[in-house]
Amino acid sequence: MKIATHNRLLVAVASLLFGLAIALISGCEAISNFRTSQVNFDATEGQARNSQIVIPLKFSWADSFSEELAAVKIDGQWGYLDNKGNFAIKPQFDNAESFFQGLAAIKLKNKWGYINKSSNLVIKPKYDLAKNFSQGLAAVKIDGKWGYIDKKGNLVINPKFDIAESFSISDRTALALAAVEIGKKWGYIGKKGNFVIQPQFDVAESFSISDRTESALGLAPVKKDNKWGYIDNRGDVIVPLEFEEAKFFSEGLAVISSNNKWGYIDKMGYLVIPLQFDWAGDFSQGLAGITIDTKVGYIDKASNVVIPPQFDNIYNFSEDLAAVKNGDKWGYINKSGKFVIKPQFDSAQSFSQGLAKVKIGNKYGYIRKPLP
C-alpha cells in the first residue's frame, strides 16, 4: 500500500514538472491556456516545437511580420504582436492590416481608419474600405468610390474611381503612379490626381522597379483586347500586347505565357527563358518556381533547374529559405533543395524579419528562422 501511494506521488510530481516544462517552452503561458490552444495537435505538436517555434499556435488568423509587428486575431479581436510574441498593441479591433510606412489600417464598428505603432488612432475610422499607405498616400473608399488620403487624413484626391490601387515608383526620378479604373477602363494617375496615362486598358497593374541595377524605367503589365503587354510611364507600349498572361518584373525578368506555356522576358521584350513550363513564378533571391507536369521546383536566371520539380506547392525564397508543400504538409528548404525544417505544417508562409507564420489544425503561430 505504501509503495502504491509513493508511486502515485511520483507520477503526480512528474506530471506537474512536465506541465511546467511545457509552459516554459511555450512562452510561459498558463498550462490550462496552453492545452486549450494546442488541442488536436498530437504528435505534430512536438515536431513543431522542435522546429524553432517561438510564438505558440493559438491565433485564429495571423499575418506576416511587417515593420517589426504582425497583425493577429484571437478571441474574435485583432491586435499586433512584437517579434517576441508579446502584444505590442492589444487585441481590440474588428479587423486589422499590416503596418506600412508607420501606419496600419484597422476596422472599428464597420468603418476603417489608421493607427500608429503606439496604438494611437491617427485617422479616425470613417471609410468603407482602406488600403495600405504607399508613397505617402493611401486609397480609401467612400460611398462606393475610391480616392486617396495623406497621413494626416486629408483627402488629397477626391473619391471618383471605381477601383484604385496603391501608388508605386515608375522610374528612378521617383515619379509615382497609381492604376485606377473609371468607366470600366484603366489608366494611371499622379499624386495630384491628374491622369498621366488616360483610361484605355481593360486591366492595368502597378509599375515595378525591383532594384537600382535595372534600367531606369519601370514597366507595368496592361491588358487590352484580351492580350497582355507592357507600357512605360508615358503610356508607350514597350513590349507588345501579345501574351495570354503577363506578371510584374522581378529582378529584371517578367513571367509571361502563351499557348498555355510559361517563360520569361527581359525589359526589352526578348524571350530570355523559353516558353516551356506549365506554370512559372516570379524571381526572388535569384530563383523562381516552375511547374513541369504537376510538380514544382526552381530554376535560376540561366534557365538551369537547380531544384528539380518534386513539390506540390511552393512560395518564393525569402531570407534564403522557401516554404514548400510535400504531400499534405509544408516545410522549408534551402537553396540546395534540402529540408531544413521537415514538412509538418498544414500551411506555412515565407520568412519575414526572421519569422514565418505556420498553421497546425486551425491555429496559427510563428517559427523562427533556423541558424545556418
Side-chain angles (χ1 to χ4, degrees), residues 43 64 110 126 128 159 181 206 223 231:
S64 296
N110 212 35
K126 56 183 177 182
D128 300 325
E181 184 191 40
S206 298
K223 185 180 183 182
I231 60 170

Side-chain angles (χ1 to χ4, degrees), residues 12-328:
V13 171
S15 297
L16 178 59
L17 290 174
F18 178 71
L20 289 172
I22 290 176
L24 288 171
I25 292 171
S26 65
C28 297
E29 284 197 7
I31 295 173
S32 59
N33 289 341
F34 179 84
R35 287 174 177 164
T36 300
S37 65
Q38 303 290 328
V39 67
N40 296 327
F41 287 179
D42 300 324
T44 313
E45 171 204 351
Q47 287 180 304
R49 189 180 300 113
N50 291 334
S51 295
Q52 297 80 38
I53 194 160
V54 291
I55 300 177
L57 296 97
K58 62 180 181 180
F59 305 104
S60 55
W61 189 257
D63 288 335
S64 296
F65 274 82
S66 175
E67 298 187 2
E68 310 302 328
L69 298 177
V72 295
K73 185 180 182 181
I74 188 168
D75 298 329
Q77 294 289 293
W78 286 79
Y80 292 85
L81 295 177
D82 63 21
N83 59 14
K84 295 181 180 179
N86 301 314
F87 274 107
I89 300 174
K90 67 178 183 179
Q92 58 191 290
F93 308 112
D94 300 325
N95 207 338
E97 298 290 343
S98 297
F99 274 90
F100 285 91
Q101 297 192 339
L103 298 179
I106 53 87
K107 186 179 183 182
L108 282 172
K109 297 180 179 179
N110 212 35
K111 293 293 183 180
W112 287 85
Y114 295 84
I115 60 170
N116 61 20
K117 291 183 180 180
S118 298
S119 190
N120 297 320
L121 198 60
V122 296
I123 300 175
K124 293 181 179 180
K126 56 183 177 182
Y127 308 110
D128 300 325
L129 289 171
K131 295 188 178 182
N132 297 326
F133 272 89
S134 177
Q135 306 303 316
L137 298 179
V140 294
K141 191 175 186 180
I142 304 171
D143 297 329
K145 295 293 182 180
W146 288 87
Y148 293 84
I149 59 172
D150 64 19
K151 287 187 174 183
K152 294 182 179 179
N154 299 314
L155 193 62
V156 296
I157 300 175
N158 290 326
K160 57 184 177 182
F161 307 110
D162 300 318
I163 305 175
E165 301 297 344
S166 298
F167 277 89
S168 62
I169 294 298
S170 65
D171 64 16
R172 288 191 200 169
T173 67
L175 175 64
L177 299 178
V180 296
E181 184 191 40
I182 188 168
K184 296 185 179 181
K185 290 295 181 182
W186 285 80
Y188 294 83
I189 60 171
K191 293 178 75 173
K192 293 183 178 180
N194 57 305
F195 270 103
V196 177
I197 301 172
Q198 292 296 318
Q200 57 191 285
F201 305 108
D202 300 327
V203 183
E205 302 287 358
S206 298
F207 281 85
S208 60
I209 294 255
S210 297
D211 59 59
R212 295 185 179 275
T213 65
E214 296 181 11
S215 65
L217 189 63
L219 299 179
V222 294
K223 185 180 183 182
K224 194 173 185 178
D225 298 329
N226 212 34
K227 292 293 184 180
W228 286 87
Y230 295 84
I231 60 170
D232 64 17
N233 61 7
R234 296 181 297 272
D236 296 332
V237 175
I238 303 301
V239 181
L241 284 74
E242 59 186 15
F243 305 111
E244 294 169 0
E245 296 282 349
K247 305 300 182 184
F248 298 103
F249 275 87
S250 178
E251 298 186 0
L253 299 179
V255 182
I256 50 89
S257 75
S258 186
N259 296 321
N260 295 318
K261 290 296 183 181
W262 296 73
Y264 295 82
I265 60 171
D266 63 17
K267 286 193 173 182
M268 297 300 292
Y270 293 115
L271 191 65
V272 295
I273 298 179
L275 295 156
Q276 58 186 303
F277 306 113
D278 297 314
W279 171 86
D282 298 332
F283 274 92
S284 177
Q285 295 195 305
L287 298 179
I290 52 90
T291 298
I292 298 176
D293 294 328
T294 60
K295 295 296 183 180
V296 194
Y298 293 86
I299 60 169
D300 62 19
K301 290 184 180 180
S303 191
N304 299 311
V305 176
V306 295
I307 301 175
Q310 59 192 288
F311 308 111
D312 297 299
N313 206 346
I314 63 165
Y315 278 94
N316 285 342
F317 273 89
S318 176
E319 300 183 11
D320 297 320
L321 297 179
V324 298
K325 188 178 184 182
N326 196 8
D328 61 352

